[in-house]
Amino acid sequence: MRIVIAGGHGQIALRLERLLAARGDEVAGIIRRAEQAEDLQAAGAEPLVCDLESASEDEVAELLRGADAVVFAAGAGPNSGTERKDTVDRGAAVLVADAAARAGVRRYVVVSSMGADPEHRGDGVFDVYLRAKGEADAYVRGHAALDWTILRPGQLTDEAGTGLVRLEAATGRGPVPRDDVAAVLAELVDTPATAGLTLELISGSAPVSVAVKAVAGN
């Protein structure tokens, strides 16, 4: 498969690129700055330089053309203000969804956030973030041209992955290593039967492949 990851220099994205490249997939990552390219190449991914906050739908579609799947893993980051929550966490996810549809790429996997809700109240940065992610998720779910899956991890940690997770429509809150989020994403990309599902993810007791197969069967 050829898989393009938006937000290709993110912590989860770099882990995912290594996993996909190691299993033999052709991987590309969209990055904002050319100096990030070396890290992607080290992970086995082709760097594609494009600023998703200023690019046109046509420009992004050209980068996605020929892909079998797209993963949206971009984020404004914890130190960004409310404006970039809208332009990246919402706007870029919408842009990439539309560009994927234009490029004829149906499979679209989104890294969202537990608690994302377009009706979330509050004016704090994290409130705006949850609202932006919720609005993006709602837009993607309404996109008839996409076979989408939305993944909402719990509290992200940098602990070594265990390969054991809980993946359900509603898990309740809890931590999950970024390693395990990447492993679940790799399985989701390869499991089209999960299309149309919004899933929460925390650490648990089921091996990643078993957890993904279980939700795909529901």
Side-chain angles (χ1 to χ4, degrees):
M1 295 177 70
R2 176 172 172 81
I3 301 159
V4 179
I5 302 170
H9 195 257
Q11 295 185 67
I12 291 171
L14 287 167
R15 289 167 166 84
L16 177 59
E17 287 155 6
R18 292 186 196 100
L19 290 176
L20 296 174
R23 78 180 189 190
D25 288 321
E26 182 183 339
V27 191
I30 298 175
I31 53 177
R32 194 157 57 97
R33 299 194 300 272
E35 56 266 30
Q36 298 170 331
E38 193 173 321
D39 291 337
L40 268 73
Q41 291 164 338
E46 173 193 358
L48 304 172
V49 180
C50 176
D51 186 346
L52 296 175
E53 290 180 88
S54 60
S56 69
E57 184 182 314
D58 283 341
E59 288 170 331
V60 179
E62 198 55 42
L63 297 178
L64 305 183
R65 210 169 300 282
D68 298 292
V70 176
V71 177
F72 184 84
N79 298 319
S80 59
T82 56
E83 184 177 329
R84 295 199 68 228
K85 302 303 183 195
D86 183 67
T87 57
V88 179
D89 294 296
R90 184 201 60 79
V94 167
L95 171 67
V96 176
D98 289 342
R102 177 168 292 211
V105 185
R106 291 199 61 91
R107 191 73 178 113
Y108 189 49
V109 179
V110 177
V111 182
S112 183
S113 175
M114 194 172 287
D117 182 354
E119 303 300 324
H120 182 85
R121 295 174 180 270
D123 299 318
V125 174
F126 193 64
D127 296 316
V128 174
Y129 168 76
L130 290 177
R131 197 157 52 242
K133 294 298 276 186
E135 289 170 353
D137 291 354
Y139 184 86
V140 170
R141 283 196 293 256
H143 218 304
L146 299 175
D147 296 328
W148 53 266
T149 302
I150 294 169
L151 182 66
R152 292 177 167 177
Q155 179 189 353
L156 299 172
T157 76
D158 287 325
E159 294 176 10
T162 65
L164 300 173
V165 299
R166 182 177 175 190
L167 180 70
E168 299 170 15
T171 61
R173 294 191 177 275
V176 61
R178 287 180 172 87
D179 287 350
D180 290 336
V181 177
V184 168
L185 288 168
E187 287 283 338
L188 289 175
V189 163
D190 213 23
T191 312
T194 59
L197 299 180
T198 300
L199 300 166
E200 294 185 351
L201 173 67
I202 59 175
S203 291
S205 58
V208 167
S209 60
V210 173
V212 173
K213 285 184 177 68
V215 294
N218 289 342

Short mmCIF file of all heavy atoms in Angstrom, two decimals, residues 165-214:
data_model
loop_
_atom_site.label_atom_id
_atom_site.label_comp_id
_atom_site.label_asym_id
_atom_site.label_seq_id
_atom_site.Cartn_x
_atom_site.Cartn_y
_atom_site.Cartn_z
N VAL A 165 -4.29 -3.22 24.33
CA VAL A 165 -5.13 -2.03 24.29
C VAL A 165 -6.59 -2.37 24.57
O VAL A 165 -6.99 -3.54 24.56
CB VAL A 165 -5.04 -1.33 22.93
CG1 VAL A 165 -3.62 -0.87 22.63
CG2 VAL A 165 -5.57 -2.23 21.80
N ARG A 166 -7.35 -1.32 24.78
CA ARG A 166 -8.81 -1.41 24.80
C ARG A 166 -9.31 -0.46 23.73
O ARG A 166 -9.05 0.74 23.79
CB ARG A 166 -9.36 -1.03 26.18
CG ARG A 166 -10.88 -1.17 26.28
CD ARG A 166 -11.37 -0.85 27.67
NE ARG A 166 -12.83 -0.87 27.72
CZ ARG A 166 -13.55 -0.44 28.74
NH1 ARG A 166 -12.94 0.05 29.82
NH2 ARG A 166 -14.87 -0.49 28.70
N LEU A 167 -10.00 -0.99 22.75
CA LEU A 167 -10.47 -0.23 21.58
C LEU A 167 -11.95 -0.48 21.41
O LEU A 167 -12.37 -1.58 21.05
CB LEU A 167 -9.70 -0.68 20.33
CG LEU A 167 -10.04 -0.01 19.00
CD1 LEU A 167 -9.57 1.45 18.99
CD2 LEU A 167 -9.40 -0.78 17.85
N GLU A 168 -12.75 0.55 21.70
CA GLU A 168 -14.20 0.40 21.67
C GLU A 168 -14.83 1.75 21.31
O GLU A 168 -14.15 2.77 21.29
CB GLU A 168 -14.74 -0.05 23.03
CG GLU A 168 -14.21 -1.40 23.51
CD GLU A 168 -14.58 -1.68 24.95
OE1 GLU A 168 -15.47 -0.99 25.50
OE2 GLU A 168 -13.96 -2.59 25.54
N ALA A 169 -16.13 1.73 21.08
CA ALA A 169 -16.85 2.98 20.81
C ALA A 169 -16.74 3.92 22.00
O ALA A 169 -16.65 5.14 21.84
CB ALA A 169 -18.30 2.69 20.48
N ALA A 170 -16.74 3.36 23.22
CA ALA A 170 -16.58 4.16 24.43
C ALA A 170 -15.79 3.34 25.45
O ALA A 170 -16.25 2.27 25.87
CB ALA A 170 -17.93 4.56 24.99
N THR A 171 -14.62 3.81 25.80
CA THR A 171 -13.75 3.07 26.72
C THR A 171 -13.72 3.67 28.11
O THR A 171 -13.32 3.01 29.07
CB THR A 171 -12.30 3.06 26.20
OG1 THR A 171 -11.82 4.42 26.13
CG2 THR A 171 -12.20 2.41 24.84
N GLY A 172 -14.10 4.94 28.27
CA GLY A 172 -13.78 5.66 29.49
C GLY A 172 -12.35 6.17 29.38
O GLY A 172 -11.57 5.73 28.53
N ARG A 173 -12.01 7.10 30.24
CA ARG A 173 -10.70 7.75 30.13
C ARG A 173 -9.59 6.87 30.66
O ARG A 173 -9.81 6.00 31.50
CB ARG A 173 -10.72 9.09 30.87
CG ARG A 173 -11.67 10.09 30.21
CD ARG A 173 -11.53 11.48 30.75
NE ARG A 173 -12.42 12.39 30.03
CZ ARG A 173 -12.11 12.98 28.89
NH1 ARG A 173 -10.93 12.77 28.33
NH2 ARG A 173 -12.96 13.80 28.30
N GLY A 174 -8.39 7.13 30.15
CA GLY A 174 -7.22 6.37 30.60
C GLY A 174 -6.03 6.70 29.72
O GLY A 174 -6.17 7.33 28.67
N PRO A 175 -4.84 6.30 30.12
CA PRO A 175 -3.63 6.58 29.34
C PRO A 175 -3.42 5.55 28.24
O PRO A 175 -3.98 4.44 28.29
CB PRO A 175 -2.52 6.49 30.39
CG PRO A 175 -3.04 5.47 31.37
CD PRO A 175 -4.53 5.65 31.41
N VAL A 176 -2.59 5.92 27.28
CA VAL A 176 -2.17 4.98 26.23
C VAL A 176 -0.84 5.47 25.66
O VAL A 176 -0.68 6.65 25.35
CB VAL A 176 -3.25 4.85 25.13
CG1 VAL A 176 -3.51 6.19 24.42
CG2 VAL A 176 -2.86 3.78 24.12
N PRO A 177 0.16 4.58 25.54
CA PRO A 177 1.44 4.99 24.95
C PRO A 177 1.29 5.34 23.47
O PRO A 177 0.50 4.70 22.75
CB PRO A 177 2.33 3.75 25.13
CG PRO A 177 1.69 2.96 26.23
CD PRO A 177 0.22 3.20 26.07
N ARG A 178 2.05 6.32 23.04
CA ARG A 178 2.04 6.68 21.62
C ARG A 178 2.43 5.50 20.74
O ARG A 178 1.95 5.37 19.62
CB ARG A 178 2.97 7.87 21.38
CG ARG A 178 2.43 9.19 21.92
CD ARG A 178 3.40 10.35 21.66
NE ARG A 178 2.81 11.64 22.00
CZ ARG A 178 2.85 12.19 23.21
NH1 ARG A 178 3.45 11.54 24.21
NH2 ARG A 178 2.30 13.37 23.43
N ASP A 179 3.32 4.64 21.23
CA ASP A 179 3.69 3.44 20.48
C ASP A 179 2.45 2.62 20.13
O ASP A 179 2.31 2.12 19.00
CB ASP A 179 4.62 2.54 21.32
CG ASP A 179 6.03 3.09 21.45
OD1 ASP A 179 6.38 4.06 20.74
OD2 ASP A 179 6.79 2.53 22.28
N ASP A 180 1.56 2.45 21.10
CA ASP A 180 0.38 1.63 20.87
C ASP A 180 -0.64 2.33 19.99
O ASP A 180 -1.37 1.67 19.23
CB ASP A 180 -0.25 1.23 22.22
CG ASP A 180 0.61 0.24 22.98
OD1 ASP A 180 1.41 -0.48 22.35
OD2 ASP A 180 0.50 0.18 24.22
N VAL A 181 -0.71 3.65 20.05
CA VAL A 181 -1.58 4.40 19.14
C VAL A 181 -1.11 4.17 17.70
O VAL A 181 -1.93 3.89 16.80
CB VAL A 181 -1.59 5.90 19.47
CG1 VAL A 181 -2.46 6.66 18.46
CG2 VAL A 181 -2.10 6.15 20.88
N ALA A 182 0.19 4.26 17.47
CA ALA A 182 0.73 4.03 16.13
C ALA A 182 0.44 2.61 15.65
O ALA A 182 0.08 2.39 14.49
CB ALA A 182 2.23 4.30 16.12
N ALA A 183 0.58 1.64 16.55
CA ALA A 183 0.31 0.25 16.18
C ALA A 183 -1.15 0.04 15.79
O ALA A 183 -1.45 -0.68 14.82
CB ALA A 183 0.70 -0.67 17.33
N VAL A 184 -2.05 0.68 16.52
CA VAL A 184 -3.48 0.58 16.19
C VAL A 184 -3.76 1.25 14.85
O VAL A 184 -4.50 0.71 14.01
CB VAL A 184 -4.34 1.19 17.31
CG1 VAL A 184 -5.79 1.36 16.86
CG2 VAL A 184 -4.27 0.32 18.56
N LEU A 185 -3.16 2.41 14.62
CA LEU A 185 -3.35 3.09 13.33
C LEU A 185 -2.89 2.22 12.16
O LEU A 185 -3.55 2.15 11.12
CB LEU A 185 -2.59 4.42 13.32
CG LEU A 185 -3.19 5.53 14.18
CD1 LEU A 185 -2.19 6.68 14.31
CD2 LEU A 185 -4.50 6.04 13.59
N ALA A 186 -1.75 1.55 12.33
CA ALA A 186 -1.24 0.68 11.27
C ALA A 186 -2.23 -0.43 10.95
O ALA A 186 -2.44 -0.78 9.78
CB ALA A 186 0.12 0.10 11.68
N GLU A 187 -2.87 -0.97 11.99
CA GLU A 187 -3.88 -2.01 11.78
C GLU A 187 -5.16 -1.44 11.16
O GLU A 187 -5.77 -2.07 10.29
CB GLU A 187 -4.21 -2.68 13.11
CG GLU A 187 -3.12 -3.61 13.63
CD GLU A 187 -3.08 -4.94 12.92
OE1 GLU A 187 -4.10 -5.35 12.33
OE2 GLU A 187 -2.01 -5.58 12.95
N LEU A 188 -5.57 -0.26 11.61
CA LEU A 188 -6.79 0.34 11.08
C LEU A 188 -6.67 0.64 9.59
O LEU A 188 -7.62 0.42 8.82
CB LEU A 188 -7.12 1.62 11.84
CG LEU A 188 -7.62 1.47 13.28
CD1 LEU A 188 -7.78 2.83 13.93
CD2 LEU A 188 -8.93 0.69 13.35
N VAL A 189 -5.52 1.17 9.19
CA VAL A 189 -5.30 1.49 7.78
C VAL A 189 -5.50 0.24 6.92
O VAL A 189 -6.01 0.30 5.80
CB VAL A 189 -3.87 2.06 7.59
CG1 VAL A 189 -3.45 2.01 6.15
CG2 VAL A 189 -3.81 3.49 8.10
N ASP A 190 -5.12 -0.90 7.48
CA ASP A 190 -5.15 -2.17 6.77
C ASP A 190 -6.46 -2.93 6.98
O ASP A 190 -6.59 -4.07 6.54
CB ASP A 190 -3.99 -3.04 7.27
CG ASP A 190 -3.42 -3.93 6.17
OD1 ASP A 190 -3.61 -3.60 4.99
OD2 ASP A 190 -2.81 -4.96 6.51
N THR A 191 -7.42 -2.31 7.67
CA THR A 191 -8.68 -2.99 7.99
C THR A 191 -9.85 -2.12 7.54
O THR A 191 -10.46 -1.40 8.35
CB THR A 191 -8.78 -3.29 9.51
OG1 THR A 191 -7.56 -3.89 9.95
CG2 THR A 191 -9.94 -4.23 9.81
N PRO A 192 -10.20 -2.17 6.25
CA PRO A 192 -11.26 -1.30 5.74
C PRO A 192 -12.62 -1.57 6.37
O PRO A 192 -13.51 -0.72 6.31
CB PRO A 192 -11.27 -1.59 4.23
CG PRO A 192 -10.54 -2.88 4.07
CD PRO A 192 -9.57 -2.96 5.18
N ALA A 193 -12.78 -2.74 7.01
CA ALA A 193 -14.07 -3.04 7.66
C ALA A 193 -14.32 -2.15 8.87
O ALA A 193 -15.42 -2.15 9.43
CB ALA A 193 -14.11 -4.51 8.09
N THR A 194 -13.32 -1.35 9.29
CA THR A 194 -13.55 -0.40 10.38
C THR A 194 -14.08 0.94 9.87
O THR A 194 -14.28 1.86 10.67
CB THR A 194 -12.26 -0.16 11.19
OG1 THR A 194 -11.24 0.35 10.31
CG2 THR A 194 -11.77 -1.44 11.85
N ALA A 195 -14.30 1.06 8.58
CA ALA A 195 -14.84 2.31 8.03
C ALA A 195 -16.20 2.62 8.66
O ALA A 195 -17.02 1.73 8.88
CB ALA A 195 -14.97 2.21 6.52
N GLY A 196 -16.40 3.90 8.97
CA GLY A 196 -17.65 4.34 9.56
C GLY A 196 -17.68 4.27 11.07
O GLY A 196 -18.71 4.55 11.68
N LEU A 197 -16.54 3.93 11.69
CA LEU A 197 -16.49 3.80 13.15
C LEU A 197 -15.71 4.96 13.78
O LEU A 197 -14.69 5.39 13.24
CB LEU A 197 -15.81 2.49 13.55
CG LEU A 197 -16.49 1.18 13.09
CD1 LEU A 197 -15.68 -0.01 13.57
CD2 LEU A 197 -17.92 1.11 13.60
N THR A 198 -16.21 5.44 14.92
CA THR A 198 -15.47 6.36 15.77
C THR A 198 -15.11 5.58 17.02
O THR A 198 -15.98 5.06 17.73
CB THR A 198 -16.33 7.58 16.14
OG1 THR A 198 -16.69 8.27 14.93
CG2 THR A 198 -15.55 8.53 17.05
N LEU A 199 -13.80 5.44 17.29
CA LEU A 199 -13.31 4.52 18.32
C LEU A 199 -12.47 5.25 19.36
O LEU A 199 -11.64 6.10 19.02
CB LEU A 199 -12.46 3.43 17.66
CG LEU A 199 -13.17 2.56 16.62
CD1 LEU A 199 -12.16 1.76 15.81
CD2 LEU A 199 -14.19 1.64 17.28
N GLU A 200 -12.66 4.89 20.61
CA GLU A 200 -11.79 5.38 21.69
C GLU A 200 -10.74 4.32 21.99
O GLU A 200 -10.98 3.11 21.82
CB GLU A 200 -12.62 5.70 22.92
CG GLU A 200 -13.56 6.88 22.70
CD GLU A 200 -14.30 7.30 23.96
OE1 GLU A 200 -14.22 6.58 24.99
OE2 GLU A 200 -14.93 8.38 23.94
N LEU A 201 -9.56 4.78 22.44
CA LEU A 201 -8.42 3.89 22.65
C LEU A 201 -7.70 4.22 23.94
O LEU A 201 -7.30 5.37 24.15
CB LEU A 201 -7.44 4.03 21.47
CG LEU A 201 -6.11 3.28 21.61
CD1 LEU A 201 -6.32 1.78 21.59
CD2 LEU A 201 -5.15 3.71 20.50
N ILE A 202 -7.54 3.22 24.79
CA ILE A 202 -6.70 3.34 25.99
C ILE A 202 -5.94 2.02 26.14
O ILE A 202 -6.19 1.05 25.41
CB ILE A 202 -7.53 3.62 27.26
CG1 ILE A 202 -8.56 2.51 27.50
CG2 ILE A 202 -8.19 4.99 27.18
CD1 ILE A 202 -9.33 2.66 28.81
N SER A 203 -5.02 1.98 27.07
CA SER A 203 -4.33 0.72 27.35
C SER A 203 -5.34 -0.29 27.89
O SER A 203 -6.31 0.06 28.56
CB SER A 203 -3.21 0.95 28.37
OG SER A 203 -2.17 1.72 27.80
N GLY A 204 -5.08 -1.56 27.60
CA GLY A 204 -6.01 -2.60 28.02
C GLY A 204 -5.37 -3.96 28.04
O GLY A 204 -4.16 -4.08 28.32
N SER A 205 -6.12 -4.98 27.70
CA SER A 205 -5.62 -6.35 27.79
C SER A 205 -5.66 -7.11 26.48
O SER A 205 -5.23 -8.26 26.41
CB SER A 205 -6.45 -7.12 28.84
OG SER A 205 -7.82 -7.13 28.48
N ALA A 206 -6.17 -6.49 25.41
CA ALA A 206 -6.28 -7.18 24.13
C ALA A 206 -5.11 -6.82 23.21
O ALA A 206 -4.77 -5.64 23.08
CB ALA A 206 -7.59 -6.80 23.43
N PRO A 207 -4.46 -7.80 22.59
CA PRO A 207 -3.45 -7.48 21.59
C PRO A 207 -4.04 -6.59 20.49
O PRO A 207 -5.23 -6.72 20.16
CB PRO A 207 -3.06 -8.85 21.03
CG PRO A 207 -3.41 -9.82 22.11
CD PRO A 207 -4.64 -9.25 22.77
N VAL A 208 -3.22 -5.70 19.95
CA VAL A 208 -3.70 -4.72 18.98
C VAL A 208 -4.48 -5.37 17.84
O VAL A 208 -5.59 -4.94 17.51
CB VAL A 208 -2.52 -3.89 18.43
CG1 VAL A 208 -2.95 -3.09 17.20
CG2 VAL A 208 -1.99 -2.94 19.51
N SER A 209 -3.93 -6.40 17.23
CA SER A 209 -4.60 -7.02 16.07
C SER A 209 -5.95 -7.62 16.46
O SER A 209 -6.92 -7.54 15.72
CB SER A 209 -3.71 -8.09 15.44
OG SER A 209 -3.41 -9.11 16.38
N VAL A 210 -6.01 -8.20 17.67
CA VAL A 210 -7.27 -8.77 18.14
C VAL A 210 -8.29 -7.68 18.40
O VAL A 210 -9.49 -7.82 18.05
CB VAL A 210 -7.02 -9.59 19.44
CG1 VAL A 210 -8.34 -10.05 20.06
CG2 VAL A 210 -6.11 -10.78 19.14
N ALA A 211 -7.86 -6.58 19.00
CA ALA A 211 -8.77 -5.47 19.30
C ALA A 211 -9.35 -4.87 18.02
O ALA A 211 -10.55 -4.56 17.96
CB ALA A 211 -8.03 -4.39 20.10
N VAL A 212 -8.52 -4.71 16.99
CA VAL A 212 -9.01 -4.15 15.73
C VAL A 212 -9.96 -5.11 15.04
O VAL A 212 -11.01 -4.71 14.52
CB VAL A 212 -7.84 -3.76 14.81
CG1 VAL A 212 -8.33 -3.34 13.44
CG2 VAL A 212 -7.04 -2.62 15.44
N LYS A 213 -9.62 -6.38 15.02
CA LYS A 213 -10.51 -7.38 14.40
C LYS A 213 -11.85 -7.42 15.12
O LYS A 213 -12.90 -7.60 14.48
CB LYS A 213 -9.85 -8.76 14.42
CG LYS A 213 -8.75 -8.95 13.40
CD LYS A 213 -8.23 -10.37 13.42
CE LYS A 213 -7.16 -10.60 12.32
NZ LYS A 213 -5.94 -9.85 12.58
N ALA A 214 -11.85 -7.24 16.42
CA ALA A 214 -13.10 -7.30 17.19
C ALA A 214 -14.04 -6.16 16.80
O ALA A 214 -15.24 -6.37 16.61
CB ALA A 214 -12.79 -7.25 18.69
#
